[in-house]
Amino acid sequence: MTQTPSAPEALEEAAPDAAADHGDEHEHPSDRQYVKIALILGALTALEVFTYFESVHNLGDAAIYVVLIVLMILKFIYVVAWFMHLKFDSVLFRRVFVAGIVLALGVYLVMLTAFRIWGV
Amino acid sequence: MTTTSEPPLQLTAGEQLVRPSTSLGVFSRPTGETGWKSWLFTVDHKRIGIMYGAAALLFLVIGGIEALLLRLQLAVPGGNVLSEDAYNQVFTMHGVTMVFLVIMPMAAAFANYLLPLQIGARDVAFPRLNAFSLWCFLAGGIFLNTSWFLGGAPDGGWFGYAPNSGLVYSPSHGMDFYALGLQIAGIASLVSAINLITTVLNMRAPGMSLFRMPVLSWMLLVVQFLLLFAIPVITVALFLLSFDRLFGANFFNVEAGADPLLWQHLFWIFGHPEVYILILPAFGIMSEVIPVFSRKPIFGYPFMVFSGIAIGFMGWGVWAHHMFTSGIGPVSVAVFSLSTMFIAVPTGVKILNWLATMWGGRLRFNTAMLYSVGAVAMFTIGGLSGVTHAISPADTQQTDTYYIVAHFHYVIFGGSLMGMLSGFYFWWPKAFGYKLNEKLGKIGFWILLIGFNLTFGPMHILGLQGMSRRIHSYAADSGFNLWNMVASIGAFVIAAGVLLFFWNIGVSRRRARGSPPVGPDPWDARGLEWMTASPVPTHNFDRDITVTRQDEFWHRKWRIGTDGKVTRIARAEDVAHDGSATGVHLPSPSYWPVVVALGLPLVAYGLIYNLWITGIGALVILGGLYGWVFEPPDDPEDHGHDDHHEADPSGEAGNGANGGGASGNGEGEPADGDGARQLAAAGTSGGPVAEAQP
Amino acid sequence: MTDVADPTPAVTTPTDAGHAPPAHPPTTTGLTHNKVAMWLFLGSECLLFGALIAVYMFAKSRLPAGEIGPNDVFDIPFTSVSSFVLLMSSLTMVLALSALNRGEERNFRIWIVATALLGGTFIAGQVYEFTVFVDLGLGYTTNIFGSAFFTLTGFHGAHVTIGIVMLMSALVASLRGRLSPRNAETVELIGLYWHFVDIVWILIFTIIYLFPQ
Amino acid sequence: MMGEQAGGRFGPNLWRRLRLALVALAVALALTACADEHPLDTLTEAGPDAQEINDLFFPVLGVAIIVFFLVQGAIIYLAVRYRARRRAAAAAVHSDDPDGDDLYGDDEYPEQVHGNLRLELAWTIIPTILLAVISVFTLISLVDLNEVSAAEDDLRVTVVGQQWWWEFQYHLDGDTSTPPDIVTANELVMPVRQQVPLGITSRDVIHSFWIPRLNGKKDAVPGRTHPWVIEADEPGRYMGQCTEFCGLSHAYMRMYAVVLEPAEWDEWVQGQLVDAAPLEPGEPGYEGQEVFLANCANCHVVNGVSDVNLDDLPDGMGDYAGANAITSALVSGAAPNLTHVASRTTFAGSIFDLYEDRAERIPYLEVAERGDLNRGDLEAWIRNAPGQKANDADGARGMTAFPGLTDGEIDALVEYLMTLR
Ligand code: HEA
Ligand code: HEA
Ligand code: CUA
Ligand SMILES: [Cu+2]
C-alpha cells in the first residue's frame, strides 16, 4: 500500500494560511539563480552521459544503476523545485504532485515486481 | 490563448439571464433560460447535474434490459433466447453500461448538483469544462451503444482480458468501440475530477473549513481524487489495446513475448479504485440521509471522513485480488490477500457509525431513509462475501463463478444503486420543487428489495455449487436449474420496482402542479443546499453564507439548550434564502463544450472506419477549442465592473480569481478562466464575517 | 453555543476586485483555480507517464533474444544532445516568465521564442531518430520493444508538441499586447506544463537510454 | 405502539426470527451439499487441497454469517426500537405534505450525540484483530497449498487450454523438457491418492483449469506455465469447467478428472502408450482411415498413422506441438489427439457423452468395449461441428463442418474412430 501524507492535513494546511507562504510576497529566484540551476543540470547530465562510456564500466551495472538513479532524481528535483517553483509555492501543490508520484511509483513498482523483471 | 480581464456578467432584476453577444464574431452566443438550447448550451452545474442524472437513468434502463435478457437466457438450462455471440455482447455491454454509464454518471449527477451547494458556492470552478464533461461522457456512451448497429457490440467482458480482446480472437469492431468509447468517457471523468477538486478546494463559503463539510462532500472529494489518479491508468491500458488492434502493436501479442497479465495489472490498478469510485458517493449520500431521518447528527463525523479517506488510500493496494488465480505467484497472492482483508476495517467503521447514528434517534422511515438503511443492510452482505474472496485460497474456488457475481451485485446494486436511489428521493424536492410520492416510493422500495434478494441471493448458492459466470447456458444436470429460475424471476421483480420508480416520477410531477410548493427544507435537513429555495435558483444563494460549524443550517433552525434539549429558534423559511437576489454574476452559456465533445466520437469512428473521419473530428475539436479559448467565460460586452459592488451586497469577489484568464493546459483542454463564481471571498479564518453573530 | 436565527446579511468584503489585481485571488486557498487545476492535472499525468514507462520496462524485459533491441538502435551521443536541448528549454522558459513578471515584453518574447525553438529542435531530433530506427529495421510493429518505445516517446513528443503550440499562442497573445505582468499566470501555467514534460524526459533519458541494457 | 417497552417484547421475537433464518440457511447449505446433483460443487471436497480450502472457507464464512446477523439484527432492532411515532395532531411544520407522511412531532429531537471515541476505537480494533487472526490462517493455507509433495520423477501433466477444449500431456518420468509420453484430451486420467503436479498453459487466450471437488482453479495463460497440483481421495469422475471467459464456447469447455486405482491407472498408461497401427485394406475401419487421412489428418494426430516426428519439436514451453506441425488452419494450432479417442467417455470439451449408458456405471477401462456408442452426437459432430458447439465462422477456431461427407463416409469414419482405443 502506498502511503502519502494524509490528505485532509495536506489540504487543510494549504487552506487558510497558504497566503502566508506563497505568491507575491516571497522572493522569486533571480535569473542568475536560474542560470546557475541550469548549469548544474547540464553538469549532471554530462555526468550521466559519462557513465555510458567505457571508462566506468568496470564499476559494474549495479553501481551504474545507483549513480544514474541518484543523478536522475537530483535533476528531477532541481527542475521541480526551482523551475516549477514548487519549493516556494503552496504546499497544496507539492502534496498533489507528490501524491501522484508516490502513487505511480508504488503501484507500478509493485506491478513490475510481481512480474519479477528485476531478475530476482 | 487569450486573456479576459473584463469582469463577468451580472444580472439585475427581471433581466434576461444572458445578453447575446457573439463568439468568433460570427455566432451569437446562446441565450435564454428555457427551451432545449438552454439545456444544450448550459454551463449551470445544476442543469448539468440533472442531465447527468437523466442520462444515467436512461442507461439504467438499457443496462437493465440487457440484464433481463441475460436472465431470460439463463432462466432454464440450455436456453436459446440469445445466441452465444449475442450473449457475450449482452453481458459485456451490461457490465460496461452499468459501471461506466449508470453508476459513474449518477455519482457525477449528485456531485455536480450538490457539491457547489453543499460548500456554499455558486458554481463549479470551470463551468464550461463541466459542460464539456457531461457531453463528453454522453458522446462516449452513445458511441459505445452505436456498436450494436455497426457489426456487433464489445464481446470481451467488461474487463476485456487480453489476448481475448485482441484482434485475432475478437475480430469484430466491438472491442474497438469498447477501447475508444471508454477512453472518451474517461476524458469526461478526468476533466470533471480536476474541476470538482478545484471547486472544493477553492470555492468554499467563508468559514466552511474542510472539516465542516458534509460527509457527502468529503466522499465526493475522495472520489474525485481516485478518478484523478486512476483514470490515467486505464487510459494507458486502453491505448495499448487500441494500438494493438488498430496499428498492429505488440503489447499483448504473446508470440512477440508479451505477457497477457500486463493488461490485467493495468486494468485492475484502475479497476479496484474504480469500485470505490462507485461506492463512496453512495456512502456519502447515506451519511446525509440517515442523520436527517434519525434526527441526530452523523455519529463520529471525523471517523466517517477518515475512513472514507482510508478506503481511498487502501483501494490502491489491493488490485491483484482480482488476479489470485492468474498466476501472479504465491508471494503476490499473500500480500494482496492480506491488504484486501483489511479494507473491511474502515468500511466496517462506516457501517457501524450509521447504526450508531440511528441509535437513540427518532427514525422516520421515509422512502429516502428506507433506501439508505436498505443499502447499509445489502452492502454489508456484499462486503462480507468480499471478505470471503479476500482469503485467496478460497477465492480460487470462487473466482469467476456466480458467487462473485453475487458479491458485486450486492455491493454495487445493493450499495451504490440503492444509495443513489435514496439520494434521488431525498434531493428530488430540492431539484424540482416537489417530492416524489412516498407511498409509491415505499412500495417500490420493498418490491426492489425483495426482487434484489431473490435475484442475487441465490447466486451465492449457484456460485458455490460451481456455476461459472459468463456462460451462455448450463446443462440440465448441473444442478443449477432451481436457483437460476428464482434469480430470473427476481430480475423481473426488480424491473417492476425500477419501473415503479419511473412511474412515481410521472405521477408526482403531475400531482405537483397545483400543490403547494415544498419550501426550501422539506425534511428538516442539515446541509447548506437546503438553505436556498427549491428548486434551486440559478444563482444558488442570494448572499454569502458564513459557516461557523458543521451542519450550519440546522443550527440556525435549532438550539441545543444546556440541558441537551433541542428547541426551535427559527423556521427553515426564515433562515433560507428565497432566491430573489438579483445582480449575481453567472457564467454564460456556450456552444463550444458541445462542439468539442462532438468531435471526439468522430475521431473514434474514424480510427475504426476511415481516417478521413478522424481528420474531420480533429478539425471539429480544434475549431471548438479555438472558439472556446477566444470566447470569454462571461459575456464581455455587458457592463463595466464598477456597478458591481452596489449590485452585489455580499461583496462577492468578482473576477478576482480570473487573474490568468483562459489558458490552455495539458492535453489541449483549455482551462476556463471563469473562476469567479465562488461566494467565498476572504480566507476562511479571520476574514470579515458576512452574517454577524450576536 | 449560540445560534442565529436570521442573521442580517451584507457586510461587504473589502476586496477591490477589478481595480487592481488583488494580492491574492479571493479563493479559499488563496490560489487561483487555474493553477490548482494545472497541478492536479500534472499529478494525474504522473500516473500516465508512470504507466508508459513501466510498460516500456516490462516490454524490454520480455524482448526475445535475437530481436532488434535498444542496443541495436540507440545513439546515445545524439540523444544526449537533444536531451540537453530540452533541458535548456526549461531555462529559457523560466527566463521568459521572469521577464514577463518584470514587464519586459521584448525579453519575454525572445525567451519564449527560444523555448519554442529548443522544443522544436528536440522534436526534430526525435523525428530524425525515429526515421533512423525505422531504417535500422525497428518499426512500430516489429517487436514488443518497438511498440513500447515508440508509444512512450511518441506520447512524450505529443506533449512537447502541444507545449510548443501553447508557447506560440502565448507569443501571439503577447504580440497583440494581451500579456502583462498582471496575467503572467497564463505563462506560468504553460511553463509548469513545459517543465513537467521536461522532467518526464529526464526520466526517459536515464531509464530508457542510459540504463545499462 | 412500539415505544420503550416494545423493545422488550421484541427481544424473543427477534430471536425466533434469527433462529428461523439460521435454519433456512442450514437447509440451503444442506441442499448444496449433494454432490451427485451438483457435479461442480465446491463445498463437497474430494481431495486434500479442496479440503484445505474448505477448512479455511467455512470458518471465515461462519464469521461472516455472525457479522451478518449482528448487523442485520442491529438494523432491525434499531428500526423497531427507535422508530418515531407519528403524531397526526402535533403541530407539524410540514403539515402541508400531501402524503401526510411527515406528520411527526416537531419537537422530537432526541439527545444529539456526536460520537464516542471509545466505541470508534472498539469497532476499529476488534475487526482488525479478527482479520489478523484470519490472515494468519490464510497464510498457513497458502503455504500448504503451494507445497508439492510429489518427487521430481513422479508423473507430471502439462495442461494446455485452447478454444474450447483441454489437452493433457503426460510426462511419466516427470521431465517436462522431453516430449510427452501420452497426449490426450478433455479427460485427465490420474491415479488416486497421489499428488499430480500440473503445469498449466494455453495456446490462445486465457482459460482457467478447474476441478472444483479436487482443488481451486488456475488460469491457463498463453506464454506462461503455471504450477498447480491436483489430488483425489477416492476414485471417480470429477467434472471440471473452464472458468475464464474465452470466447464463444466458453460455456462448453468442460473436462473430467478421472481418478483410478493404482492398478487400473497402470493399465490405462500401458494402453495409451501404444500407438495406433495403420490399418491395411480389408481390415475393419480401413475405409474410415482413408477418409480420415483425406479430411481430418491435417488437424488431428493419430500417433502411428498421421504422425509428426516428435524429435523435431522445439523445446522450451514444454509444449507438445504435434498438431501445430501439421496445421495452420487453427488459431491455436491444434486439435485433439485422437490416438485413443475411443477410450474416452466424452468428447468436444466433454460436453457430449461418447457412450450412451451413463459412463460412470461402467469401469472406465471397459467403457470402450461395453459402452453403447452415442452415435447420434458423434455423427452430428463430424458432419457439422459448428452446429453442435459454437465456434468461429471463419474456421480458425474449433472444428470445421464437413457438409461434403456422405452418410457412408461418416459411418466409415465412426467405425474407424472406434478402433482407436
Ligand atoms: C461497489 C463496488 C465494490 C465494493 C465496495 C467492493 C468491496 C469489496 N470487494 Fe469487491 N468487487 C466488485 C465491486 C466491489 N467490491 C466487483 C465489480 C468485482 C468483480 C469484478 C469482476 O470480476 O467483474 C469485485 C470482486 C472482488 C474480488 C475478486 C473476486 C474474484 O474475481 O475472484 C475480491 C477479492 O478479494 C473482492 C473483495 C472485496 C472486499 C474485501 C471488499 C471490501 O471493501 C468490503 C468491506 C465491507 C465489509 C466487510 C462489510 C462491512 C464491515 C463490517 C460490518 C465490519 C466487520 C467485518 C468483518 C470483521 C469481516 N471483490
Ligand atoms: C452497476 C452495476 C450493475 C447493476 C445495477 C446490475 C444489475 C443487474 N445485473 Fe449485472 N453485472 C454488472 C453490473 C451490474 N449489474 C457487471 C459489472 C457484470 C459483469 C459483466 C461481465 O462479466 O463482464 C454483471 C453481470 C451480470 C450477470 C452475469 C452474466 C454472466 O456472467 O454471464 C447477471 C446474470 O444474471 C447480471 C444480472 C443483473 C440483473 C438481473 C440486474 C438487475 O438488477 C437490473 C435491474 C434493472 C432493470 C431491470 C432496468 C429497469 C427496467 C425497466 C425500466 C423496465 C424496462 C423494460 C422491460 C421489463 C422489458 N449481471
Ligand atoms: Cu476456456 Cu473459458
Ligand atoms: Cu477489487
Side-chain angles (χ1 to χ4, degrees):
Chain A
M1 223 143 314
T2 36
Q3 282 298 332
T4 47
S6 93
E9 284 169 36
L11 306 179
E12 199 62 276
E13 261 178 50
D17 51 16
D21 66 329
H22 104 290
D24 303 47
E25 287 103 86
H26 79 257
E27 282 303 309
H28 282 274
S30 68
D31 287 3
R32 276 175 65 94
Q33 269 165 309
Y34 284 139
V35 175
K36 243 175 26 203
I37 301 291
L39 287 178
I40 296 174
L41 285 170
L44 292 178
T45 308
L47 269 178
E48 279 192 322
V49 176
F50 184 63
T51 64
Y52 165 73
F53 296 104
E54 302 297 326
S55 50
V56 291
H57 269 192
N58 48 13
L59 279 177
D61 275 3
I64 293 182
Y65 276 122
V66 171
V67 169
L68 280 176
I69 290 172
V70 169
L71 291 174
M72 176 180 84
I73 292 173
L74 277 178
K75 283 165 72 183
F76 189 99
I77 291 175
Y78 268 117
V79 175
V80 173
W82 291 82
F83 289 174
M84 293 173 90
H85 239 211
L86 212 49
K87 187 163 182 241
F88 312 100
D89 232 327
S90 164
V91 287
L92 174 72
F93 299 150
R94 196 178 317 159
R95 291 186 179 169
V96 167
F97 194 56
V98 169
I101 292 171
V102 169
L103 214 50
L105 272 176
V107 295
Y108 300 131
L109 286 181
V110 169
M111 178 182 93
L112 292 175
T113 307
F115 277 124
R116 275 165 267 172
I117 80 157
W118 315 119
V120 283
Chain B
M1 221 107 329
T2 173
T3 58
T4 331
S5 43
E6 291 87 352
L9 176 68
Q10 87 186 49
L11 290 176
T12 48
E15 211 178 350
Q16 223 183 351
L17 240 188
V18 191
R19 287 211 208 121
S21 73
T22 57
S23 280
L24 298 181
V26 183
F27 309 108
S28 59
R29 244 183 130 132
T31 57
E33 257 186 293
T34 52
W36 60 271
K37 278 198 210 156
S38 70
W39 288 86
L40 191 60
F41 303 124
T42 188
V43 293
D44 177 355
H45 73 99
K46 296 176 293 297
R47 287 187 164 202
I48 290 173
I50 289 171
M51 284 190 282
Y52 259 120
L57 287 175
L58 178 76
F59 282 121
L60 173 68
V61 172
I62 296 178
I65 290 175
E66 283 156 1
L68 293 179
L69 287 173
L70 295 178
R71 283 321 318 170
L72 272 180
Q73 165 70 16
L74 294 175
V76 292
N80 49 14
V81 175
L82 299 169
S83 71
E84 285 84 354
D85 189 23
Y87 185 85
N88 294 346
Q89 295 175 31
V90 170
F91 81 68
T92 302
M93 281 302 282
H94 165 67
V96 169
T97 303
M98 288 297 195
V99 169
F100 295 99
L101 308 181
V102 176
I103 304 292
M104 284 179 77
M106 221 178 251
F110 287 105
N112 265 290
Y113 200 97
L114 294 171
L115 251 187
L117 286 168
Q118 286 206 322
I119 61 172
R122 189 142 283 166
D123 205 317
V124 295
F126 306 103
R128 286 183 302 174
L129 272 189
N130 205 26
F132 170 73
S133 291
L134 167 73
W135 299 114
C136 187
F137 141 71
L138 211 57
I142 293 173
F143 172 80
L144 259 170
N145 275 286
T146 56
S147 63
W148 288 113
F149 313 105
L150 296 171
D155 56 2
W158 85 281
F159 45 71
Y161 274 5
N164 191 40
S165 54
L167 198 54
V168 177
Y169 301 102
S170 191
S172 82
H173 284 309
M175 292 312 284
D176 295 322
F177 277 95
Y178 167 90
L180 297 168
L182 292 188
Q183 199 74 280
I184 296 174
I187 295 173
S189 296
L190 183 66
V191 170
S192 161
I194 292 176
N195 199 345
L196 293 176
I197 296 173
T198 310
T199 306
V200 174
L201 294 184
N202 253 356
M203 297 174 69
R204 280 164 286 141
M208 176 62 89
S209 66
L210 287 174
F211 280 97
R212 287 175 184 161
M213 289 199 315
V215 179
L216 173 61
S217 294
W218 257 112
M219 293 306 109
L220 291 172
L221 179 64
V222 173
V223 166
Q224 303 312 317
F225 270 106
L226 288 178
L227 284 167
L228 183 75
F229 293 130
I231 294 288
V233 188
I234 182 113
T235 300
V236 169
L238 293 171
F239 269 130
L240 302 188
L241 180 63
S242 316
F243 292 169
D244 263 19
R245 292 184 58 95
L246 300 171
F247 310 132
N250 296 305
F251 293 106
F252 307 115
N253 178 356
V254 178
E255 248 114 88
D259 188 330
L261 293 198
L262 178 64
W263 168 270
Q264 299 188 12
H265 275 293
L266 290 177
F267 186 89
W268 292 117
I269 288 175
F270 153 81
H272 192 86
E274 167 73 12
V275 308
Y276 294 115
I277 290 166
L278 299 177
I279 195 67
L280 288 178
F283 281 179
I285 289 169
M286 288 139 76
S287 304
E288 299 294 297
V289 171
I290 293 178
V292 167
F293 293 101
S294 302
R295 317 211 91 200
K296 279 179 64 200
I298 187 84
F299 191 87
Y301 171 87
F303 285 85
M304 285 309 245
V305 171
F306 275 107
S307 60
I309 296 168
I311 291 173
F313 271 120
M314 293 171 77
W316 285 93
V318 302
W319 75 86
H321 64 216
H322 298 273
M323 302 166 63
F324 283 152
T325 62
S326 62
I328 50 175
V331 177
S332 305
V333 168
V335 169
F336 281 98
S337 191
L338 299 199
S339 64
T340 302
M341 262 180 240
F342 287 98
I343 276 203
V345 174
T347 320
V349 167
K350 283 192 169 294
I351 304 272
L352 294 167
N353 273 311
W354 286 318
L355 298 185
T357 305
M358 291 166 67
W359 187 283
R362 298 281 184 277
L363 310 186
R364 301 174 171 190
F365 282 98
N366 290 61
T367 314
M369 179 69 161
L370 282 177
Y371 272 111
S372 274
V373 175
V376 175
M378 295 303 107
F379 175 82
T380 303
I381 299 176
L384 291 172
S385 62
V387 172
T388 64
H389 310 325
I391 47 171
S392 46
D395 187 63
T396 62
Q397 289 284 20
Q398 299 157 2
T399 188
D400 280 322
T401 67
Y402 266 80
Y403 190 71
I404 305 292
V405 178
H407 158 68
F408 67 74
H409 282 94
Y410 266 89
V411 281
I412 302 191
F413 190 114
S416 307
L417 194 58
M418 285 219 186
M420 297 212 204
L421 282 170
S422 171
F424 278 124
Y425 277 93
F426 188 56
W427 281 289
W428 200 274
K430 181 45 57 184
F432 300 107
Y434 61 90
K435 285 185 186 177
L436 290 175
N437 184 296
E438 283 288 329
K439 194 172 287 161
L440 285 177
K442 286 178 186 171
I443 297 173
F445 166 78
W446 288 109
I447 293 180
L448 204 72
L449 188 78
I450 292 168
F452 169 75
N453 284 291
L454 269 183
T455 309
F456 301 111
M459 289 187 189
H460 291 107
I461 301 175
L462 283 171
L464 294 176
Q465 286 176 344
M467 178 161 165
S468 280
R469 61 192 282 207
R470 299 172 159 184
I471 53 173
H472 156 267
S473 75
Y474 49 93
D477 57 4
S478 316
F480 302 146
N481 304 8
L482 170 67
W483 293 121
N484 268 305
M485 179 51 92
V486 173
S488 293
I489 293 170
F492 283 86
V493 179
I494 298 180
V498 176
L499 219 51
L500 203 61
F501 171 68
F502 287 111
W503 174 252
N504 192 349
I505 294 176
V507 167
S508 307
R509 230 178 106 92
R510 205 154 3 93
R511 283 201 200 155
R513 300 199 193 106
S515 306
V518 288
D521 179 30
W523 313 117
D524 192 4
R526 316 178 81 90
L528 286 190
E529 73 270 29
W530 304 101
M531 207 169 138
T532 185
S534 312
V536 182
T538 323
H539 59 275
N540 291 3
F541 299 103
D542 293 345
R543 327 173 266 284
D544 263 4
I545 298 170
T546 297
V547 175
T548 58
R549 67 220 126 171
Q550 251 174 53
D551 292 335
E552 174 72 23
F553 175 54
W554 187 86
H555 283 284
R556 290 187 187 189
K557 295 180 293 184
W558 299 92
R559 182 200 302 281
I560 304 177
T562 40
D563 54 352
K565 225 175 141 44
V566 178
T567 47
R568 189 179 274 287
I569 48 177
R571 295 189 318 145
E573 285 75 2
D574 302 330
V575 184
H577 301 176
D578 59 10
S580 62
T582 57
V584 180
H585 307 296
L586 288 171
S588 313
S590 171
Y591 297 120
W592 306 116
V594 188
V595 174
V596 178
L598 199 74
L600 288 165
L602 284 182
V603 169
Y605 281 121
L607 286 173
I608 296 177
Y609 292 107
N610 185 326
L611 286 180
W612 284 105
I613 309 177
T614 301
I616 295 172
L619 285 181
V620 171
I621 294 176
L622 281 179
L625 287 178
Y626 180 78
W628 188 323
V629 168
F630 285 95
E631 174 189 76
D634 303 287
D635 202 304
E637 295 170 16
D638 227 0
H639 51 78
H641 55 74
D642 289 0
D643 46 348
H644 140 146
H645 287 292
E646 297 128 42
D648 185 3
S650 63
E652 200 197 321
N655 67 327
N658 232 353
S663 75
N665 68 4
E667 304 271 50
E669 305 139 4
D672 291 34
D674 39 357
R677 255 74 40 207
Q678 79 279 13
L679 288 170
T684 45
S685 55
V689 176
E691 305 190 11
Q693 305 295 307
Chain C
M1 201 179 286
T2 52
D3 293 288
V4 192
D6 186 15
T8 27
V11 176
T12 306
T13 320
T15 42
D16 199 12
H19 293 290
H24 295 293
T27 60
T28 316
T29 55
L31 309 165
T32 65
H33 293 341
N34 287 340
K35 202 163 166 188
V36 171
M38 175 54 91
W39 274 107
L40 289 168
F41 174 70
L42 296 183
S44 164
E45 289 268 284
C46 291
L47 277 109
L48 185 98
F49 277 105
L52 289 167
I53 293 174
V55 166
Y56 171 86
M57 292 171 73
F58 176 63
K60 198 189 77 182
S61 78
R62 302 277 306 186
L63 183 68
E67 292 263 359
I68 181 165
N71 280 331
D72 306 312
V73 291
F74 283 170
D75 178 356
I76 301 295
F78 178 84
T79 312
S80 302
V81 172
S82 66
S83 302
F84 187 75
V85 166
L86 192 61
L87 202 58
M88 286 308 115
S89 77
S90 265
L91 173 64
T92 54
M93 185 72 232
V94 277
L95 293 180
L97 178 61
S98 141
L100 184 63
N101 274 330
R102 287 193 304 269
E104 303 168 3
E105 282 197 25
R106 224 181 80 87
N107 285 343
F108 164 73
R109 287 175 203 153
I110 292 174
W111 289 124
I112 211 89
V113 169
T115 311
L117 280 179
L118 288 170
T121 311
F122 174 84
I123 290 293
Q126 202 168 33
V127 170
Y128 169 76
E129 187 187 40
F130 282 12
T131 52
V132 170
F133 286 10
V134 171
D135 287 346
L136 287 171
L138 182 78
Y140 188 59
T141 57
T142 307
N143 59 30
I144 186 169
F145 162 71
S147 299
F149 173 81
F150 286 116
T151 301
L152 170 58
T153 51
F155 261 85
H156 179 265
H159 275 73
V160 176
T161 309
I162 291 170
I164 294 175
V165 171
M166 294 200 294
L167 290 172
M168 298 315 289
S169 311
L171 179 68
V172 171
S174 164
L175 289 173
R176 286 193 181 170
R178 302 180 86 169
L179 278 184
S180 66
R182 222 168 69 81
N183 48 27
E185 199 200 49
T186 309
V187 176
E188 188 186 343
L189 296 186
I190 298 175
L192 284 177
Y193 175 83
W194 189 261
H195 299 309
F196 178 79
V197 174
D198 187 25
I199 57 175
V200 170
W201 189 258
I202 289 178
L203 302 183
I204 293 181
F205 180 55
T206 309
I207 296 173
I208 278 77
Y209 287 90
L210 290 181
F211 270 8
Q213 306 295 343
Chain D
M1 147 195 147
M2 284 177 186
E4 303 289 303
Q5 92 278 46
R9 247 199 304 136
F10 188 69
N13 201 343
L14 180 73
W15 250 119
R16 218 177 6 253
R17 284 196 215 177
L18 280 186
R19 269 215 312 270
L20 237 140
L22 265 171
V23 170
L25 203 91
V27 170
L29 279 179
L31 274 178
T32 68
C34 344
D36 273 355
E37 275 144 49
H38 305 286
L40 291 164
D41 195 17
T42 62
L43 301 179
T44 46
E45 64 278 339
D49 302 299
Q51 177 81 53
E52 173 92 41
I53 291 171
N54 282 343
D55 287 349
L56 177 67
F57 175 62
F58 279 116
V60 176
L61 186 66
V63 172
I65 288 174
I66 292 170
V67 176
F68 167 84
F69 279 113
L70 288 177
V71 172
Q72 308 296 341
I75 290 175
I76 295 170
Y77 171 77
L78 292 172
V80 174
R81 170 81 170 72
Y82 293 109
R83 189 187 194 98
R85 276 156 297 168
R86 230 177 252 194
R87 295 203 315 201
V93 194
H94 305 294
S95 56
D96 47 7
D97 177 9
D99 302 321
D101 235 328
D102 271 326
L103 300 178
Y104 297 98
D106 190 31
D107 54 348
E108 287 245 345
Y109 268 104
E111 194 195 340
Q112 301 290 294
V113 184
H114 285 268
N116 180 322
L117 187 63
R118 252 192 260 159
L119 272 179
E120 303 281 358
L121 289 180
W123 57 54
T124 308
I125 292 169
I126 294 173
T128 308
I129 294 172
L130 203 63
L131 290 165
V133 173
I134 292 178
S135 57
V136 170
F137 286 102
T138 305
L139 289 180
I140 293 172
S141 307
L142 262 175
V143 171
D144 285 351
L145 286 166
N146 276 294
E147 225 154 66
V148 179
S149 61
E152 279 291 304
D153 55 356
D154 280 349
L155 166 72
R156 241 155 248 267
V157 181
T158 301
V159 176
V160 189
Q162 55 228 284
Q163 289 177 326
W164 288 276
W165 59 283
W166 294 94
E167 181 170 287
F168 303 111
Q169 306 171 359
Y170 288 71
H171 300 274
L172 297 174
D173 56 359
D175 181 0
T176 50
S177 63
T178 53
D181 305 297
I182 299 170
V183 178
T184 174
N186 298 326
E187 292 183 359
L188 173 61
V189 181
M190 57 186 256
V192 71
R193 288 180 296 278
Q194 177 184 330
Q195 191 185 53
V196 181
L198 308 175
I200 298 176
T201 185
S202 161
R203 288 204 179 96
D204 39 41
V205 300
I206 303 178
H207 306 267
S208 196
F209 174 88
W210 189 36
I211 313 278
R213 297 191 57 206
L214 301 187
N215 200 347
K217 49 185 86 70
K218 194 68 165 182
D219 287 1
V221 180
R224 303 170 65 102
T225 303
H226 295 143
W228 198 236
V229 296
I230 186 169
E231 181 176 352
D233 292 333
E234 298 292 333
R237 264 168 117 237
Y238 301 97
M239 198 197 251
Q241 160 86 42
C242 170
T243 47
E244 188 62 78
F245 177 64
C246 53
L248 276 183
S249 270
H250 160 65
Y252 310 125
M253 185 166 166
R254 283 186 224 133
M255 72 201 110
Y256 280 95
V258 178
V259 180
L260 301 179
E261 292 290 359
E264 292 183 307
W265 155 252
D266 285 337
E267 192 185 336
W268 181 82
V269 168
Q270 294 315 319
Q272 298 285 314
L273 285 174
V274 180
D275 283 356
L279 300 176
E280 300 299 325
E283 282 188 76
Y286 174 75
E287 288 79 22
Q289 178 182 285
E290 294 306 296
V291 181
F292 183 86
L293 286 172
N295 292 288
C296 324
N298 46 347
C299 289
H300 290 285
V301 175
V302 173
N303 299 349
V305 178
S306 62
D307 253 333
V308 275
N309 186 355
L310 293 182
D311 298 333
D312 291 348
L313 294 181
D315 47 20
M317 293 167 68
D319 189 4
Y320 162 75
N324 303 37
I326 354 182
T327 183
S328 56
L330 291 167
V331 168
S332 51
N337 183 309
L338 298 180
T339 313
H340 297 282
V341 63
S343 73
R344 313 203 264 264
T345 56
T346 55
F347 66 99
S350 287
I351 58 166
F352 300 110
D353 283 328
L354 191 55
Y355 298 100
E356 287 276 4
D357 7 13
R358 307 233 11 217
E360 298 97 282
R361 277 192 233 117
I362 306 177
Y364 189 70
L365 295 179
E366 291 164 30
V367 79
E369 278 144 50
R370 290 173 45 195
D372 287 333
L373 179 66
N374 178 3
R375 189 172 286 273
D377 279 342
L378 185 60
E379 290 191 351
W381 173 259
I382 294 171
R383 183 171 281 121
N384 182 16
Q388 304 301 302
K389 177 171 172 179
N391 65 20
D392 206 19
D394 65 12
R397 269 160 278 268
M399 181 163 139
T400 40
F402 289 92
L405 292 181
T406 64
D407 286 354
E409 284 169 325
I410 297 219
D411 283 343
L413 269 174
V414 169
E415 190 182 4
Y416 174 64
L417 291 179
M418 284 302 104
T419 67
L420 300 172
R421 293 191 175 172

